[in-house]
Amino acid sequence: MPPPLRRLLLLRPPAAAALAADAATLRRPYLRLIALSSTLRHLDQILAVSLASGHYPLDPAPATSLLLRYASLRAPADHLLRLFRSFPCPDRFLRNALLRSLPSLRPRLLFPCPDSFSFAFAATSLTGSCSRECGAASYSEARALHALSVAAGYAADTFVASALAKLYFVLSRVDHARKVFDMVPSPDTVLWNTLLAGLSGADAVESFVRMVSEGSVRPDATTLASVLPAAAEVADVTMGRSVHAFAEKRGLAEHEHVLTGLISLYAKCGDVELARRLFDMMEKPDLVAYNALISGYSVNGIVGSSVDLFTELMALGLKPHSSTLVALIPVYSPFGHDLLAQCLHGFVLKSGFTANSPVSTAITTLYCRLNDMESARKAFDAMPDKTMESWNAMISGYAQNGLTDMAVALFEQMLKLNVRPNPITISSTLSACAQLGALSLGKWLHRIIAEEDLEPNVYVMTALIDMYAKCGSISEARSIFNSMDNKNVVSWNAVIAGYGLHGQGAEALKLYKDMLDAHLLPTSATFLSVLYACSHGGLVDEGRKVFRSMTDDYAIMPGIEHCTCMVDLLGRAGQLKEAFELISEFPKNAVGPGVWGALLGACMVHKDSDLAKLASQKLFELDPENSGYYVLLSNLHTSKKQYSEAAVVRQEAKSRKLVKTPGYTLIEIGEKSHVFMAGDRAHPQSEAIYSYLEKLTAKMIEAGYRPETEAAFYDVEEEEKEHMVKVHSEKLAIAFGLLSTEPGTEIRIIKNLRVCLDCHNATKFISKVTQRLIVVRDASRFHHFRDGVCSCGDYW
């Protein structure tokens, strides 16, 4: 026990009249003792003495100091509250000290007589609690606190505004944070820094330019350290250089945080050499500087250099932090680094970083990008505390690897654990629904978006547009697009691509023109969407113009996808010679299997076996393990009754042990999915389905239907060929849909491969004899069948 405390214990409690006089005299000893205390036991002893002597209720200064010291030594919140309540007349200093110290907000503690510190500390307290668990309740509390501060006249106070803005940023309510900022007529440097730290990318850069232009405050090192990562995020190296020059002019360029920010900026913008020079200029680079350069090497795919720098760091005796490992893990260039991934995972396990969520999330992401979903799931399941980022990594990993069912199942598991989704979670799960074609799941997600108030988020709404378009509801996709206040180029691309997918090329071109009229610059993805729409709409002249405009007007070099679309566009229109000649004009790096595959597909449609042989030879060289090309060439020979050539192609595929991708068709009835294979009898209602299909086929034949058996095996009887095409998965799914729904109900099915000629023809007749709208999504587009006519105009 400290000697001054022993002396206090020896004092007899003074008379009541003397207490007030003694309080001022003893204030300094109490404050000194509190400052010297290093354990909760010491503080308990001081509190006991002050209570026994009767001094505690008289002087708020030692009580405030005592409460703050208890908080700094991590005393429980209940203990702090009891300490506060035992003081009969707490002043605003004691009240503010409690607000500052509690792990979560108690709104009633604001009153009576709150000041700017009261609101700022309350906002900070709420920020701490919602950092741990964000939700609708935290947002409501933030709004209530904000309203109270405005009512009390503190809306223009920079101290309060800074705390409120930070709170809204933590809650991902950027629009509200901006409103808080805009209510302050003369923001100071701290408030500007809060805004810049909360914004990202172009928004932060734009705000920094505004801050400098207004000239009312002087940017400091913190300002520059906030804007440099934002410039790096949008790869704006010109802005980065401007900030660098500004830092040199203001004498801030050698500040540790600024220099580290510059290293990170230049490295992420591809100038790794300059980043290294800046790093070498540092007399003694710290761990953060090492992390910045390691990350820069990783982002640019220079994995060997990032590993070497990590080895150097270890040799210097610097202990790697979690951010070091996150920077080192090659999530940006994972391919070819399977062994490194395993070594890094082993290091993480041995170093005890498995409990660190960012590190485990990076490992999970790495395995997902290496298509090792089993290892990714093990790393995810091993996390003791799963963050929102870890859930997002695993869900998006499943979606990107085509494991859409598992992505949706994991999302549902997340909701059951009361983990609220954020925009990234919703976007990834919507992507999975789009791949599945699961409209009912997509509508369920749409309801969640409304419940979570995520509709203002442009990325969520763009993902929603994409989902509705790919699930067959282009009208709903357009309705959402029209309702958006803030559309970006990705939103325009999504709806243009949707029209292309549904064969509405003219509407896609009209929307493209509207986009240009809105002064939005088209991207590479925009041109791909427009060319795709032209290809599936037979708009040859328009497609040629768009393709030329891409390079002539916007200096965008065509990639593999653009070249594939052009060959497909010309090939579908029968311009095979022009398509073949165009391939020779493409850059070499833009000619891949997709280009030759598009030409081979066009040869199949227009029965050009000579050009098909040339295209297939190229394909067998570029992609020898793809069975689809062998099937196309074999079917072409069969359709021209070149049976010996077809047999040679089939034998070649057989000798390579290539297996044709099995076709299947999915249909949703209610909220349940049903999957059919060709000749499938596994469905519980298969007997009723086959019986109904027999009756339906008879009606179709009466209406003029004749089976298309060209692509069926040539060495079977014609009657057997007819039976083979009759039980294709599309027909089984449609028959089940007709049996399971009310007359007039729309039927929607999804085929994993391109719909065959016979199924396409048969579906036209089914739509006619049943008077139903039938929507079919195959591997390349949507077909809308109504009254015996398909929306594609038999052009697919």
Side-chain angles (χ1 to χ4, degrees), residues 454-650:
L454 293 173
E455 288 171 321
N457 188 287
V458 66
Y459 301 105
V460 169
M461 299 308 282
T462 299
L464 200 57
I465 290 169
D466 184 62
M467 183 277 296
Y468 274 116
K470 288 179 178 174
C471 288
S473 186
I474 187 63
S475 58
E476 185 65 29
R478 182 59 188 266
S479 175
I480 291 167
F481 176 79
N482 290 342
S483 70
M484 291 173 67
D485 293 326
N486 299 312
K487 303 178 182 74
N488 62 13
V489 69
V490 184
S491 314
W492 286 87
N493 291 349
V495 76
I496 290 170
Y499 278 120
L501 194 62
H502 287 263
Q504 299 183 32
E507 191 62 37
L509 281 171
K510 181 179 180 299
L511 203 60
Y512 171 64
K513 184 179 181 302
D514 292 343
M515 176 182 163
L516 297 182
D517 290 343
H519 306 293
L520 277 171
L521 281 175
T523 64
S524 176
T526 311
F527 285 107
L528 183 60
S529 298
V530 176
L531 288 172
Y532 183 90
C534 291
S535 174
H536 286 273
L539 304 171
V540 180
D541 292 337
E542 293 84 347
R544 287 195 189 102
K545 289 177 185 175
V546 169
F547 190 71
R548 284 196 298 269
S549 171
M550 179 178 168
T551 51
D552 295 347
D553 299 332
Y554 298 98
I556 296 175
M557 293 304 295
I560 292 175
E561 295 88 353
H562 303 95
C563 295
T564 300
C565 263
M566 273 308 294
V567 171
D568 190 54
L569 169 65
L570 295 169
R572 286 173 186 273
Q575 309 290 329
L576 296 177
K577 184 180 177 183
E578 184 182 349
F580 179 66
E581 290 172 352
L582 189 62
I583 292 174
S584 63
E585 298 175 15
F586 292 151
K588 284 186 178 181
N589 62 352
V591 180
V595 171
W596 291 109
L599 185 62
L600 179 59
C603 291
M604 173 71 188
V605 173
H606 297 286
K607 307 294 188 290
D608 190 330
S609 55
D610 294 332
L611 192 54
K613 286 179 184 177
L614 191 152
S616 61
Q617 285 171 5
K618 294 286 186 182
L619 286 165
F620 298 157
E621 292 171 13
L622 292 167
D623 193 7
E625 302 304 312
N626 192 320
S627 63
Y629 305 135
Y630 292 88
V631 173
L632 268 179
L633 187 59
S634 171
N635 287 346
L636 174 58
H637 286 312
T638 301
S639 68
K640 297 193 76 174
K641 303 191 185 314
Q642 298 168 344
Y643 299 130
S644 58
E645 288 92 335
V648 170
V649 175
R650 289 178 187 275

Side-chain angles (χ1 to χ4, degrees), residues 44 70 125 141 162 174 194 207 286 290 308 394 398 447 451 461 472 565 632 639 727 787:
D44 288 342
Y70 265 116
S125 174
E141 288 182 17
S162 184
V174 178
T194 302
S207 294
D286 61 5
Y290 269 99
D308 290 342
M394 198 68 235
Y398 277 137
R447 290 194 293 272
E451 289 167 8
M461 299 308 282
C565 263
L632 268 179
S639 68
V727 293
D787 297 326

Side-chain angles (χ1 to χ4, degrees), residues 96 99-100 110 115-127 145 149 154 157-164 167:
N96 288 345
L99 281 169
R100 182 180 179 182
L110 283 165
D115 59 9
S116 62
F117 290 95
S118 307
F119 289 109
F121 291 153
T124 303
S125 174
L126 189 52
T127 300
L145 179 63
S149 68
Y154 289 102
D157 188 285
T158 56
F159 186 42
V160 175
S162 184
L164 285 170
L167 169 59

Side-chain angles (χ1 to χ4, degrees), residues 112-113 118-119 128 195 231 253 277 294 323 348-349 360-361 369 378 426 513 540 553-554 588 598 697 769:
C113 304
S118 307
F119 289 109
L195 180 70
R277 286 207 302 271
I294 288 171
S323 53
V348 166
L349 291 169
S360 294
T361 300
R369 292 184 179 176
K378 285 180 181 176
I426 293 289
K513 184 179 181 302
V540 180
D553 299 332
Y554 298 98
K588 284 186 178 181
T697 304
V769 300

